[in-house]
Amino acid sequence: MSGFDRRQFLKLTGGSSVVALSGLAGCSGGPSGGAETTDNSDGGSGDDETTTQSTDEVDANIGMVYATGGLGDGSFNDQAQSGLKDANEEWDLAYEEAQPENVSDFANYQEQFAQSTDPEYDLISTIGFLQADALSETAADYPDQKFMIVDSVVEEPNVNSYVFAEHEGSYLAGQLVAMLTSTEFSAGAAETVSDEKTVGFVGGVQSDLIEKFEAGFRAGVADIDDEISIQSSYVGDFNDPSGGKEAALTMYGDGADFVYHAAGNTGTGVFQAAQEEGRFAIGVDRDQSLTKDSYADVILASMVKRVDTAVYNAIDGVVEGTFEGGNVTPLGLQDEGVALVYGDEIGSDVPSDVVDTVDSARQAIIDGDISVPTSPDDV
Amino acid sequence: MSLRDRLEAVLARLVRASATERILISSASLLLSVLVGFVLILMAGRMTSCGTAAVSYFGVGFCYDPFLVFNKLFLGALGNPINPDFNPLQGEFGAIIRPGFDLLNGQLATTLSETTILIFAGLAVAVAFRAGIFNIGAQGQLVMGALATAIVLLYVAPFVSGAFGTLVLLTLGILIGATAGGAFAAIPGALLAYAEANEVITTIMLNFVATAIALYLAANRFKDPESFANQTVALPDVALFPNVVFQPRDDFSLLALGFAIVLVFAIWYLLTRTALGYDIRTSGIQPTAAEYAGVDAERTIVTSMVLSGALAGVGGAVYVLMVLGNFQTGVPSYGFDGITVSILAGNSPLGVGFAALLFGVLKSGSIVVDVGSDVPPQLVGVLRGLIILFVAMPEFFRLIGARILPENIAEPEQAAPDGGEVTDDE
């Protein structure tokens, strides 16, 4: 006698599974029949929408390997995904998306895509500079497979690399806040403290790439007024909103009028802090006054980095047959690869003379009259 | 029979289970978790929308096919050995093994490479657990081991060459990893032994310390100037594990797996057949009695923590010398997975090997699922968690039961007497 009643157990488990199955019928969604891709009404960013057509019916099969952190970060990966979505509206694509958890998994993910025969992928997009080491091996092993990488250069004949001039876009963000911090300026839910000439920068994980943002920002501020003090802090994580909030609160507490972030989802905390303190924040990667619209009343501008353009261009090349491997495409201010976009809600309050100064700085960088440093040590 | 008596009877039954029964229980749990996973996948397949149904049952279409998911999860991790034409359910009897299947494929290499490192991490946690210490700091110890190995070998590697040089460097690298991990674990060990500082708190905090030290050194002093990433300069090939039969790009060496298996038996021997092992086990079971029997409690605590940290450090060294070839920040959570591996194995060194293999299969298989199906990675994570949970639960209850039940439960016919102290019968 073990004290178990087997029949009772079966009744319980059997009963629950029947309940579960009958509950299924009530779920919304499910296949819509043999139609083409349906629009998703969930609005969740993690939903894959892959057409299950046979491979010869589509224009191209695309494999996406996102950066660690995955989709739903509101900046980098989502921006890459929107390039894929745009291309999918233009052409008839089938795509598969993968979100590795660790840097050491990249090689395996890339290999899985490259050796896949059902479907054969026409292009494999690798997002983020941490994939570069793995990709230089994978691309050499699969010379007939076309690849693209964002944020890094891989010198293989079958890889197209896309790099951005983050420092140049950040320079403009620096110019904007430097001109406003010493004036009395208010817009939306925020205003400057006129007697304090302080601005802040919050970074995610300290690395050469994020330091490009900081360097450009510092240079942009210093070229307006080198009296302005610039506080900078690296939270150590791209997905730590509370850490971002702490860092930004400290800066606002020290009189900072603006905090610019390059920290992915950590930057959400910066926006929270800005709202609490009634000061301004500058977004990054996407127009965050749209993607994080609950903070639109404090986001004065965003330094947009068009990862989507890179993805779209690479897909364009594959579909139209113009893809030539081994190219490096720099995306700077000139081709809108990076740009300073004013906030959707309060951006129009920026005085026109400030806007003109920023515009002329942009032109000066394009013309080569201003060269922006890429390391904070050189500012 | 009150509910409490009943629960105790069940616990007692679990505690008494023989090794064969335990394996059977684990297998049954695995099967059950797959069944539950099936239902979950079907439900998730009704909650999303897709163009065409992946599969339909009873006239209801579903977006995800559970058969496909579990096929890719378990067999994908081995490189899909099964021939698609072999399907007894549909009456197709082709050859069982897929034509062109190569046993030495990249996916199996990934599986075994994960397994290898998890063996070290699992052993590390198991040794501490057996001494009654919760070493939550295996992750930090592993990071320190990896970092020290990558940095020291950079300076030593230029002086040797050839096969003999590889042997020297590998031995040295593993020793350095063990030393760094062991030294880092000695800190919470000493704090626990001599200041009675709760080891769970100290080891968790030291994980952050290790990560911060690693980030600082890899981003500044030892950074590879050529790279955007925070990583050290790549070690020369002479310092890395030779790929015995697998491809060099697969980042896996049978040599390392062999070493891990040897260590499994060595730790088993140490725990069960030596005086030190006796000390460790008795302090884990009953510290007061061990002290009475002449075991030096403080020294045993420090020793078992150092041994535990050294094993984790070796895991870090192997991660650098087999997988990465340098040190890079963002080390996967091997140390934390090691805790689960150890509990899954009932803290037995021999069981750690099998538990690590299960983990390796799930890790590598989930990559295949992620790439080869539309199932979102979050759902695959849930399935992985389910499997681990189901397999670990009986072992977990066994450990709890062994701890709270009175000693005289060996007689199955005897009604269980009242338990010693009041506990949560959850």
Side-chain angles (χ1 to χ4, degrees):
Chain A
M1 264 305 292
S2 60
F4 265 138
D5 185 339
R6 204 178 317 119
R7 269 168 311 175
Q8 221 175 8
F9 174 78
L10 282 176
K11 222 167 23 191
L12 275 173
T13 49
S16 61
S17 56
V18 168
V19 169
L21 272 171
S22 60
L24 285 183
C27 283
S28 63
S32 58
E36 304 260 313
T37 322
T38 51
D39 271 341
N40 217 320
S41 50
D42 297 354
S45 55
D47 291 323
D48 295 283
E49 281 279 326
T50 315
T51 47
T52 39
Q53 295 160 310
S54 64
T55 51
D56 44 4
E57 282 178 37
V58 293
D59 294 328
N61 264 291
I62 311 293
M64 299 287 288
V65 185
Y66 290 107
T68 51
L71 292 167
D73 59 358
S75 57
F76 188 59
N77 284 315
D78 287 3
Q79 186 77 337
Q81 191 189 33
S82 70
L84 175 69
K85 293 245 155 97
D86 292 348
N88 197 29
E89 309 224 322
E90 181 75 21
W91 300 283
D92 190 9
L93 304 176
Y95 56 85
E96 186 63 62
E97 300 171 292
Q99 305 171 45
E101 288 172 35
N102 299 305
V103 175
S104 47
D105 298 341
F106 283 137
N108 192 238
Y109 272 91
Q110 292 166 4
E111 194 182 14
Q112 278 285 316
F113 276 113
Q115 63 185 199
S116 163
T117 51
D118 178 29
E120 286 264 5
Y121 287 101
D122 301 294
L123 172 74
I124 298 171
S125 305
T126 59
I127 309 298
F129 66 89
L130 289 173
Q131 305 214 37
D133 291 350
L135 186 58
S136 51
E137 269 187 49
T138 316
D141 283 346
Y142 297 91
D144 301 336
Q145 172 71 56
K146 299 188 179 81
F147 293 93
M148 61 98 54
I149 185 164
V150 168
D151 267 0
S152 186
V153 175
V154 172
E155 286 168 357
E156 292 289 340
N158 52 333
V159 180
N160 271 357
S161 311
Y162 293 84
V163 289
F164 293 87
E166 294 91 352
H167 50 299
E168 295 177 359
S170 301
Y171 181 91
L172 302 185
Q175 295 259 302
L176 170 72
V177 302
M179 281 181 281
L180 293 176
T181 186
S182 45
T183 61
E184 286 204 25
F185 173 70
S186 73
E191 59 181 4
T192 60
V193 187
S194 56
D195 57 340
E196 286 281 0
K197 292 206 289 186
T198 309
V199 295
F201 172 81
V202 172
V205 179
Q206 187 150 15
S207 65
D208 293 1
L209 183 84
I210 303 300
E211 283 181 344
K212 276 170 83 178
F213 288 88
E214 187 189 357
F217 182 69
R218 282 180 176 276
V221 172
D223 284 358
I224 295 285
D225 179 357
D226 53 12
E227 299 278 292
I228 299 172
S229 83
I230 306 167
Q231 302 196 338
S232 96
S233 163
Y234 286 84
V235 176
D237 197 333
F238 286 107
N239 197 6
D240 178 12
S242 61
K245 185 176 176 178
E246 287 300 319
L249 280 177
T250 309
M251 294 172 184
Y252 290 127
D254 288 348
D257 299 315
F258 298 86
V259 173
Y260 171 45
H261 87 89
N265 195 28
T266 299
T268 309
V270 174
F271 300 147
Q272 289 168 355
Q275 235 167 12
E276 278 183 25
E277 297 291 315
R279 308 278 174 76
F280 295 100
I282 308 288
V284 81
D285 286 346
R286 311 185 76 179
D287 182 349
Q288 294 198 288
S289 63
L290 298 174
T291 58
K292 298 268 179 196
D293 55 5
S294 52
Y295 305 105
D297 54 359
V298 293
I299 300 176
L300 187 67
S302 296
M303 203 291 280
V304 177
K305 178 174 159 181
R306 303 300 304 268
V307 180
D308 53 336
T309 308
V311 173
Y312 186 92
N313 282 357
I315 294 175
D316 185 0
V318 167
V319 175
E320 305 297 335
T322 57
F323 183 100
E324 286 179 42
N327 290 337
V328 178
T329 311
L331 292 163
L333 290 169
Q334 172 128 29
D335 24 39
E336 298 287 321
V338 289
L340 187 72
V341 176
Y342 294 100
D344 185 50
E345 190 174 311
I346 59 174
S348 50
D349 295 346
V350 178
S352 58
D353 59 319
V354 173
V355 175
D356 293 344
T357 313
V358 171
D359 283 344
S360 57
R362 174 176 177 269
Q363 199 52 47
I365 294 172
I366 293 172
D367 297 343
D369 300 338
I370 298 179
S371 77
V372 183
T374 54
S375 162
D377 305 336
D378 304 337
V379 178
Chain B
M1 269 176 108
S2 73
L3 180 66
R4 188 197 162 96
D5 290 342
R6 247 193 237 191
L7 283 171
E8 280 189 353
V10 173
L11 275 184
R13 183 70 193 81
L14 276 174
V15 173
R16 279 199 312 273
S18 66
T20 320
E21 284 177 327
R22 281 163 62 187
I23 290 171
L24 283 174
I25 291 174
S26 293
S27 313
S29 311
L30 186 67
L31 207 63
L32 190 61
S33 67
V34 169
L35 288 176
V36 175
F38 245 79
V39 175
L40 267 182
I41 296 171
L42 289 176
M43 283 169 70
R46 289 299 300 173
M47 288 179 193
T48 126
S49 12
C50 54
T52 46
V55 66
S56 52
Y57 296 111
F58 316 117
V60 182
F62 296 95
C63 283
Y64 309 133
D65 179 1
F67 273 105
L68 180 86
V69 172
F70 281 110
N71 178 351
K72 283 189 189 293
L73 187 61
F74 289 114
L75 294 174
L78 311 175
N80 292 319
I82 305 295
N83 190 346
D85 297 339
F86 174 76
N87 195 342
L89 296 176
Q90 311 279 345
E92 297 170 351
F93 293 98
I96 297 186
I97 301 297
R98 179 168 58 92
F101 170 68
D102 176 14
L103 180 64
L104 307 177
N105 58 70
Q107 211 51 43
L108 182 66
T110 303
T111 305
L112 293 179
S113 148
E114 288 287 322
T115 304
T116 305
I117 294 165
L118 284 171
I119 286 178
F120 296 116
L123 281 178
V125 179
V127 166
F129 260 127
R130 287 299 274 277
I133 305 170
F134 286 89
N135 181 9
I136 316 292
Q139 179 71 20
Q141 292 140 22
L142 188 138
V143 167
M144 291 311 268
L147 183 71
T149 303
I151 289 173
V152 176
L153 285 198
L154 257 190
Y155 290 94
V156 183
F159 297 107
V160 292
S161 62
F164 177 71
T166 301
L167 189 67
V168 170
L169 288 176
L170 286 182
T171 315
L172 181 67
I174 284 168
L175 284 176
I176 290 164
T179 312
F184 201 65
I187 303 167
L191 285 173
L192 171 65
Y194 300 106
E196 290 179 10
N198 186 324
E199 78 278 8
V200 174
I201 312 277
T202 51
T203 49
I204 287 178
M205 295 323 269
L206 283 167
N207 282 335
F208 292 105
V209 172
T211 311
I213 292 175
L215 175 62
Y216 174 74
L217 290 178
N220 300 292
R221 176 72 185 77
F222 298 103
K223 186 174 186 309
D224 178 359
E226 302 292 301
S227 165
F228 256 174
N230 293 320
Q231 57 182 8
T232 62
V233 181
L235 293 167
D237 284 346
V238 70
L240 307 180
F241 272 102
N243 303 82
V244 186
V245 290
F246 283 85
Q247 299 298 318
R249 66 149 296 126
D250 290 336
D251 295 333
F252 169 67
S253 162
L254 274 179
L255 208 63
L257 180 61
F259 173 59
I261 292 171
V262 167
L263 254 189
V264 164
F265 284 103
I267 297 296
W268 169 80
Y269 182 85
L270 179 123
L271 282 178
T272 54
R273 299 278 186 281
T274 65
L276 173 64
Y278 177 82
D279 287 0
I280 290 178
R281 280 181 302 123
T282 45
S283 350
I285 297 166
Q286 182 50 281
T288 335
E291 186 102 37
Y292 190 73
V295 175
D296 182 342
E298 280 90 4
R299 220 185 56 197
T300 306
I301 288 174
V302 178
T303 311
S304 31
M305 268 312 269
V306 167
L307 181 60
S308 171
L311 286 165
V314 170
V318 171
Y319 173 65
V320 163
L321 300 177
M322 180 176 81
V323 178
L324 282 187
N326 67 350
F327 180 84
Q328 183 169 10
T329 52
V331 177
S333 58
Y334 292 120
F336 298 113
D337 290 347
I339 298 171
T340 324
V341 166
S342 177
I343 289 184
L344 209 56
N347 298 332
S348 117
L350 298 184
V352 162
F354 295 102
L357 180 62
L358 174 66
F359 254 76
V361 165
L362 291 177
K363 172 75 206 269
S364 156
S366 62
I367 293 179
V368 181
V369 175
D370 202 7
V371 172
S373 79
D374 297 343
V375 178
Q378 294 83 354
L379 181 60
V380 181
V382 170
L383 296 177
R384 270 166 74 184
L386 260 184
I387 292 168
I388 302 292
L389 186 72
F390 272 62
V391 177
M393 264 306 125
E395 267 318 310
F396 183 71
F397 280 122
R398 244 180 57 78
L399 293 176
I400 299 254
R403 189 159 287 215
I404 65 168
L405 288 176
E407 291 302 304
N408 52 354
I409 50 170
E411 295 300 317
E413 304 311 306
Q414 204 182 43
D418 264 5
E421 61 270 66
V422 181
T423 51
D424 272 343
D425 288 324
E426 275 302 307

